[in-house]
Every structure is written in structure tokens, then in C-alpha cells.
Amino acid sequence: MEKTGVISLGEAFVDFISMDQTNTKYQRLLGGATVNLAVGIRRLGLPAYYLCKLGSDEISQFVEQELEKERVDTSFSVHAASKKICGVYVHLNEIGERYFHSYINLTPDEVLSDNELRREVFERAKIFYIGSGTLFHEQAKRTTKTALKYAKDAGNIIAFDANLRLKRWESEDHCRQTVSSFLKHADIVKLAEDELHFLTETDSLEAGIAQLSKLKIPYLFITMGSKGACAVIDGQQVFAPAPAVHAIDTTGAGDAFMSALLYCFHEKGMPAKLSQIKEYLQYANKIGAAATTEIGSLTVNVDKKI
């Protein structure tokens, strides 16, 4: 059987986006980096498998229904009646700008355990994707390590996107050490420029890349917002500017970028030439930029042609 599709492991979130400056009415949207990635992959036409723990209440049902609408496969996820989905509240300030207000997790210890993983999904898929969103939790970290082993045993391409959320960690050092320990297992790593500086404790792009070179990451991608993105392979760098768009909401742009990047690796393989990497970068920039033109964190439906 030909392996196809992308596995995304993590925690589902619901984003509650304030409708006006009174911050009393909210639009409810799917959220969370690993959910965004799974939906982005599916919208680009590839099979997407989402692995998480879900509950049985109305919010969990909303998450499942939304993922079902997107045709994301959740059959390898598990349910626990006591599980509550995490919520993120985004408010509007007096000049109409959105800002993070609060993060609510009523069941922080209800996470997918390593014995709830099924090897079958790793045998089906071509790429396994993780982020750092749950690695602060010891059980979630163990589960991720087991999933990494299953993915490597199955010959999956391993992709890691830092997506750092420092407020969830007990200290910066704990975050830095944990995330860095996972980078060396990945074939593809994506970092935002500020994440590169944080993890390497450097203040320039060149110094950060030099520091990370010790980990011998095969494909390293650094996103720089509206400036574009660069890739590093075998010590060589290639840059691609971001297309100009009218940005409304930048939430999830990095996840859309990563979805497009993994789509390229899935469909066209591991690039050996800088010209091919630049092609991947340009496509990922296009999809990431398009995601900023609509409210919410999900990849917009766009032309799939690389």
C-alpha cells in the first residue's frame, strides 16, 4: 500500500473571537496549531489524520463536527468523558486591534497517552508532524516520544514546528531545553525568526542559523512575516520574499505556511537543489499570505498548483 497523507499530533483548541469592543459576544472557531495544520493539509487535497484526546460535551462535539466538515480523519483520536477542550479568548481593544486575553484549560492532565497510540496510522501516512504546544506536560511529552518512535519505524518524514507559547512553560530554560531536544529528530523544522533567536539565544539570523547547524537538521525553514522566509540546507541559504496582500488577521499564517511546505514535500519529495527549495518557499509564502486575508486561523482554499 502506498503511504499517503500527514499525521498531526496535538491538542484541539476553540478560539473565541470577540465580535466587538464590548468583548461580550464571541465567534467560535476551530484553533490550535496542530488542528490548523491538519485542516490546511486537507484543504490542499491530502489525507490528514488528527491525533488528540476529545471529550463528549458540546464543545468537543463542535470540534469533531468542524473537523468532519473539513474531512480530517479523527478515527485514531480517543475520547474521555471528563475531557474539556482548551479555549482561547481573543478580545478587541479600543482601536479595534485583536489581542490574546486568556487561555482556559479545565482538564490539563487529560492528554493522549502513549498506550492510546495506534501504529496503524503511522503505517498509512507519509509525514508525521508535531509542535511544542503540549511538550511542557510530561505525559504529552512521553506520548510524543513514543509517536516519534512509531513514525521512524514506519519510515515517515518527521516535521516539527516550534510554535512556542512561553506562558505554558514553567521557565524559559525548560522550554528551550525541551524543544531543542526534539529538533534533532526532525527532517523538516520550521521556526519563526523570534523563535530562532529564543532557542539559540542569539540576536541575528546568521548567528541563530550557525548555532542550529550543530543539530544537522536536513531542512530548516525560518519565517520572517511580511519580509518572507528563508531555508537552510547543507549550510546553504535561500530566501523568498512574501507576496504583498491586504492582511486582516495574521493568526495561523505560520500554520498555513507549514501546511503548504509539507504539501510540497509530500507531492514533490525531498528537494536536492536550492532552486527546488526556493519553489517550495514561494508556494508556502503564497499560502501563508493568503491565510492572513480572512478572519480565523485556518488555511484558505487556494489553488493547489505548486
Side-chain angles (χ1 to χ4, degrees):
M1 181 177 72
E2 183 184 359
K3 294 167 75 69
T4 182
V6 178
I7 301 164
S8 181
L9 168 68
E11 277 277 290
F13 287 75
V14 171
D15 291 335
F16 295 93
I17 311 293
S18 186
M19 302 287 284
D20 57 40
Q21 289 159 319
T22 67
N23 296 313
T24 55
K25 296 179 181 178
Y26 299 93
Q27 180 182 7
R28 189 167 63 176
L29 298 169
L30 266 184
T34 53
V35 166
N36 297 342
L37 188 285
V39 171
I41 287 293
R42 193 68 200 92
R43 287 186 176 184
L44 289 169
L46 298 178
Y49 303 95
Y50 192 61
L51 310 185
C52 71
K53 183 162 280 189
L54 296 162
S56 57
D57 63 3
E58 193 265 337
I59 296 292
S60 277
Q61 289 170 19
F62 166 77
V63 169
E64 284 196 85
Q65 287 164 3
E66 291 300 301
L67 287 172
E68 189 176 323
K69 281 182 198 171
E70 298 288 348
R71 294 179 296 152
V72 171
D73 188 331
T74 59
S75 61
F76 293 93
S77 292
V78 299
H79 290 78
S82 56
K83 169 73 177 179
K84 304 295 182 187
I85 297 295
C86 303
V88 174
Y89 285 82
V90 178
H91 283 189
L92 280 173
N93 64 18
E94 61 278 2
I95 58 172
E97 293 175 336
R98 287 185 175 77
Y99 66 95
F100 169 83
H101 178 264
S102 56
Y103 163 72
I104 307 223
N105 186 357
L106 298 175
T107 53
D109 294 323
E110 284 281 8
V111 295
L112 199 65
S113 65
D114 41 353
N115 61 12
E116 291 170 327
L117 292 170
R118 289 158 57 190
R119 284 184 181 268
E120 180 190 345
V121 68
F122 299 93
E123 296 295 339
R124 289 188 189 186
K126 184 182 286 190
I127 298 174
F128 173 58
Y129 161 87
I130 50 172
S132 72
T134 58
L135 295 180
F136 64 90
H137 190 285
E138 283 304 311
Q139 177 58 68
K141 187 166 76 171
R142 283 195 298 274
T143 302
T144 304
K145 284 182 175 179
T146 300
L148 269 174
K149 181 183 183 304
Y150 291 172
K152 287 186 175 183
D153 289 348
N156 297 155
I157 298 167
I158 312 293
F160 183 88
D161 186 350
N163 267 314
L164 299 180
R165 301 293 181 266
L166 285 176
K167 289 184 178 180
R168 297 178 196 166
W169 294 82
E170 62 185 35
S171 71
E172 289 190 358
D173 280 344
H174 183 216
C175 175
R176 195 176 282 117
Q177 290 167 15
T178 302
V179 171
S180 296
S181 73
F182 277 85
L183 295 180
K184 61 188 178 186
H185 295 290
D187 302 299
I188 302 164
V189 169
K190 181 186 85 66
L191 303 172
E193 190 174 11
D194 60 336
E195 293 171 338
L196 173 73
H197 297 322
F198 171 79
L199 291 172
T200 59
E201 297 183 88
T202 58
D203 56 10
S204 74
L205 186 67
E206 295 303 323
I209 289 171
Q211 187 73 10
L212 275 192
S213 67
K214 299 171 186 175
L215 297 179
K216 294 182 168 51
I217 298 163
Y219 298 96
L220 173 64
F221 296 88
I222 312 294
T223 58
M224 297 173 281
S226 60
K227 293 185 290 182
C230 76
V232 185
I233 173 174
D234 293 331
Q236 295 181 287
Q237 293 180 38
V238 60
F239 172 80
V245 295
H246 177 58
I248 295 172
D249 184 358
T250 59
T251 310
D255 302 323
F257 177 97
M258 189 62 163
S259 300
L261 207 54
L262 297 190
Y263 174 77
C264 293
F265 274 88
H266 188 286
E267 295 297 277
K268 297 225 170 186
M270 309 293 254
K273 298 178 181 178
L274 289 182
S275 59
Q276 190 177 9
I277 290 182
K278 186 162 187 177
E279 185 181 290
Y280 288 15
L281 270 178
Q282 289 169 331
Y283 182 71
N285 278 341
K286 181 178 82 170
I287 302 298
T292 70
T293 63
E294 292 185 4
I295 298 293
S297 60
L298 300 179
T299 302
V300 298
N301 289 299
V302 294
D303 177 17
K304 299 179 183 66
K305 185 178 179 182
I306 300 173

